[in-house]
Amino acid sequence: MPWPDARGDAELARRCAAGDRAAQRALFEQERAHVHRTLFRVLGSNRHAEDLIQDTFIAVFHSIASYRGESSLRTWIDTIAVRVTYRYLAQRDPIAHRLQPVPDLPIAAPDPEREVLAREAIRRLYAALDRIETKYRIAYTLHVIDGRPIKDVARVTRASVLAVKNRVWRARRRVHELALRDPLLTEFLTRTRRP
Amino acid sequence: MKRDDEFPIEPLAEGAWKRIEQGVFAELDSAGAESLRPKRPRRRAVWALAAVPLAAAAAAVLVIWLRPAERGAVLESRRIVTRAHAQPAKLDDAELQVEPGSALVLLDDRRGGALVVIERGSARFAVPERKARPPFVVRAGDARVEVVGTRFRVERVGDGARVDTYEGAVRVWSSGQPTLVRRGERFEPQPRAPATPAPAPAPALVPAAPAPQPQAAAAAPGLRVEGHRQRFEQAALLERVDPQQALQIYRNLAAQRGPWAENALYAAGRLELERGRRASAERLLRRYLDRHPAGVNASDARALLQQLHR
C-alpha cells in the first residue's frame, strides 16, 4: 500500500499517531527495507541490525505525532534511523566490533576467490571506519558507499551541507591513510573508485 | 544498482523480521495509546541496571549501578543466577561468592566504578582497598553499600538488606540515612537498629552451605496467575540464551494484569538495560513507575532512573 506523495505521507502519519494498527503495519512494511538498508550501510553488517531496526521503529511510532511534513516520511524516518545508529556507535566498544566474523559465502558463488577478497576488503573498510569519529563514518557510509547526495545526507544527519562535505572529506582522508598500509584495501578502493 | 554489486546488502532472515515486527507491536500494545503522544525531550542517559524481584518472598536483590557517563567508557555487564550451589565471581579485582538461590547483576565500566545489584539471595564480597578509585557499590532493595576495601556479606531482606562486615568497614545507606558498619558488626534492615555484633566472622571466601531455596510466593488462586508465574519464570530462564524471546514474554505479560504483570514490566526494563538499550529501558521503567508508583520494584526503578538522569 504505497503512499507516494506528501498528502499521503501526512495522512499515514496521522493515522499511525491515532493508533490505527493497519496504518502502523503498512508503514512498517513500507519502510522496513529502507531502514535496514540505512543501518546496514552505516554498520557494515547485520550484527545488531535486528535490535536497531526495532529501536528505530519504536522511536518512529513514539514520535510520529510530531511529524510535520517538512520532508518526506521516508526522510524523516531515515533521520531517526541515523540517530539510533549514531547513539549505538558512540556507546559501543570499537575493539569488540573489530572481531565480528565475516559471513560465509554461498556455495554457488560464481567466483569464490573474488568474492572472498571483496568481502574481506569491505570488512577492512568498515574496520577502518571503526577508527574514525562516528559522525564522519555516518557521512562517509551514506554518501560514498550508499551513494546518497550530500544534501540528502545533510538532511538526515541534521547538519549543514558544508559540515557533511567536511565530514566526508575527513573520513576519506583517514580511510586512505589506513589503506596505505593495506594493499588489499587500497586495491579495492581503487577498483571501486571510492576516492 | 552498481553500489549494491560492490557493497552487497545482506538480507535479514524472515525469522528476524518476524521478531522485529513482534517486538515493535508488542511495545506499542504494552504502551497503549499514550505512547504515541509527543515525548518530552530526551535527556542524557546514564547506564544503570535494575533488578527484578521474582516474587513476594524474602529475596535479596543485588543491583549493580555503574556510571559510565563518560563517552567511550567500556561497559561490561553480566547476570549471575545460582540454584543449589554457590558460585564464585570476580568484578574488577573484587572476589564474590554468590550464595545458592541468588540472582545478581554485575556492572563494571572500569572508569566509573563497580556496581552490584542483588535481585534475590545473598553474596559475600572481598574487595581490595580502592584507594583513589571510585567506590565499589552494592545495592539491595533500597539499601546501598559503599565499599572502600573490606570483606562483607549482603543479603536482601524484603525491601532492604542485612549487611555483615568481617574486615574493614562499609557505609550502608538506607532510607536516606548512612550507617557505618565496622568489622564484626551487622546492619539489620527493619526495624532500624544500631550496629550490633555480627556472627563469628567468616573465613576467607568459601562456598556457603546450600541455603534453602527462597520460598516461592504462594500461588494466587486461579489458573491464570499460576500461568503468569510460569511464563515469567520461563522468561527469566531464557534471558541468557535468547534475550529477545525473554523480552517478548515479559512484554506480553506486562500487558496483562496482576502481580506478575507488574514484575514483568520491570523485568523488561531491567533486561533492556542489560542489553544496552537505554532508551527502551528508560521508557519501560517510567511506565512501570506510572502504573505502580508504590510497587515492589518501585525503589529500584527510581534509583535506576535517578542514575540515568544524573
Side-chain angles (χ1 to χ4, degrees), chain A residues 56-77:
Chain A
T56 298
F57 276 101
I58 289 172
V60 163
F61 288 123
H62 277 308
S63 56
I64 199 157
S66 62
Y67 172 70
R68 296 284 176 258
E70 290 151 346
S71 65
S72 71
L73 198 46
R74 174 163 292 185
T75 299
W76 184 79
I77 292 172

Side-chain angles (χ1 to χ4, degrees), chain A residues 21-184:
Chain A
R21 184 51 53 90
Q24 291 166 350
R25 288 197 182 276
L27 181 62
F28 176 79
E29 292 299 328
Q30 175 184 304
E31 298 300 329
R32 70 179 205 176
H34 185 79
V35 168
H36 174 231
R37 181 187 182 91
T38 299
L39 294 174
F40 188 92
R41 282 287 182 240
V42 176
L43 297 171
S45 76
N46 276 330
R47 193 182 188 204
H48 301 295
E50 196 174 322
D51 283 349
L52 295 180
I53 293 172
Q54 183 170 316
D55 278 350
T56 298
F57 276 101
I58 289 172
V60 163
F61 288 123
H62 277 308
S63 56
I64 199 157
S66 62
Y67 172 70
R68 296 284 176 258
E70 290 151 346
S71 65
S72 71
L73 198 46
R74 174 163 292 185
T75 299
W76 184 79
I77 292 172
D78 247 352
T79 305
I80 295 174
V82 167
R83 187 169 68 229
V84 165
T85 314
Y86 179 92
R87 192 175 300 129
Y88 161 72
L89 287 171
Q91 292 165 6
R92 68 172 186 157
D93 176 5
I95 296 174
H97 183 73
R98 271 184 227 138
L99 299 178
Q100 69 171 323
V102 177
D104 289 336
L105 271 182
I107 293 173
D111 187 342
E113 184 178 350
R114 187 163 186 271
E115 289 276 345
V116 166
L117 290 173
R119 283 177 185 264
E120 177 59 19
I122 293 172
R123 189 193 68 78
R124 294 185 190 191
L125 172 60
Y126 276 93
L129 292 171
D130 280 344
R131 297 167 70 173
I132 67 174
E133 200 168 329
T134 300
K135 58 186 177 184
Y136 302 160
R137 173 204 184 114
I138 290 175
Y140 181 91
T141 52
L142 292 180
H143 175 63
V144 176
I145 296 179
D146 204 39
R148 302 188 193 194
I150 289 278
K151 64 177 183 182
D152 286 0
V153 177
R155 197 172 297 133
V156 300
T157 57
R158 304 233 167 132
S160 68
V161 167
L162 188 59
V164 171
K165 284 182 178 174
N166 183 47
R167 292 172 188 176
V168 170
W169 176 80
R170 284 175 182 270
R172 276 180 169 149
R173 187 179 67 171
R174 187 69 182 128
V175 165
H176 279 268
E177 282 172 6
L178 294 168
L180 287 175
R181 299 174 228 159
D182 188 335
L184 178 64

Side-chain angles (χ1 to χ4, degrees), chain B residues 10-306:
Chain B
E10 293 161 28
L12 275 178
E14 199 48 43
W17 282 117
K18 281 193 177 137
R19 285 192 296 271
I20 292 169
E21 185 177 1
Q22 283 170 4
V24 170
F25 291 103
E27 165 74 15
L28 295 185
D29 286 339
S30 64
E34 63 188 72
S35 73
L36 300 181
R37 296 194 196 117
K39 296 294 179 189
R40 56 178 172 267
R42 193 180 294 279
R43 285 177 284 175
R44 185 162 182 236
V46 173
W47 285 97
L49 190 64
V52 178
L54 282 187
V61 174
L62 187 66
V63 174
I64 296 181
W65 283 92
L66 194 60
R67 290 184 55 191
E70 300 175 44
R71 187 176 170 171
V74 176
L75 176 65
E76 295 179 5
S77 70
R78 56 200 152 104
R79 188 161 182 263
I80 298 175
V81 179
T82 59
R83 301 197 190 289
H85 302 286
Q87 178 179 328
K90 283 187 74 80
L91 177 61
D92 199 1
D93 57 355
E95 290 184 9
L96 288 73
Q97 190 75 3
V98 183
E99 295 177 346
S102 303
L104 56 82
V105 181
L106 295 81
L107 221 61
D108 180 7
D109 83 346
R110 299 188 192 151
R111 278 193 271 172
L115 174 65
V116 178
V117 175
I118 303 180
E119 294 183 357
R120 66 174 184 277
S122 51
R124 296 173 185 266
F125 300 81
V127 181
E129 193 177 340
R130 301 291 287 176
K131 294 184 178 154
R133 291 181 291 168
F136 186 103
V137 175
V138 178
R139 286 204 64 129
D142 68 355
R144 170 189 165 96
V145 182
E146 284 187 9
V147 184
V148 293
T150 187
R151 287 199 306 134
F152 62 101
R153 178 179 181 273
V154 179
E155 177 184 357
R156 173 129 176 195
V157 181
D159 214 23
R162 174 181 298 124
V163 181
D164 296 323
T165 303
Y166 306 117
E167 275 183 18
V170 300
R171 180 169 283 107
V172 179
W173 289 83
S174 181
S175 303
Q177 298 297 320
T179 302
L180 191 65
V181 184
R182 296 183 178 83
R183 174 183 173 180
E185 294 180 342
R186 161 177 283 182
F187 173 87
E188 291 280 4
Q190 291 287 344
R192 174 165 288 279
T196 57
L205 287 180
V206 295
Q213 291 294 319
Q215 292 291 326
L223 186 60
R224 177 179 294 180
V225 174
E226 185 60 27
H228 286 182
R229 180 177 70 85
Q230 287 169 344
R231 289 179 65 200
F232 186 96
E233 290 176 351
Q234 177 193 16
L237 290 172
L238 278 173
E239 281 192 22
R240 296 190 79 177
V241 296
D242 191 347
Q244 187 65 27
Q245 181 65 15
L247 185 68
Q248 195 61 49
I249 295 173
Y250 284 142
R251 281 198 156 128
N252 290 340
L253 264 178
Q256 310 291 322
R257 293 183 181 220
W260 292 105
E262 177 189 333
N263 282 340
L265 181 55
Y266 186 50
R270 186 256 308 151
L271 180 58
E272 285 290 73
L273 192 57
E274 285 179 36
R275 298 173 73 200
R277 295 154 61 100
R278 300 182 302 183
S280 177
E282 181 175 356
R283 277 196 302 273
L284 289 164
L285 290 165
R286 287 200 183 282
R287 191 173 308 145
Y288 175 88
L289 287 173
D290 286 342
R291 294 183 188 174
H292 311 286
V296 64
N297 305 304
S299 62
D300 287 335
R302 282 193 193 94
L304 177 62
L305 287 168
Q306 248 180 0

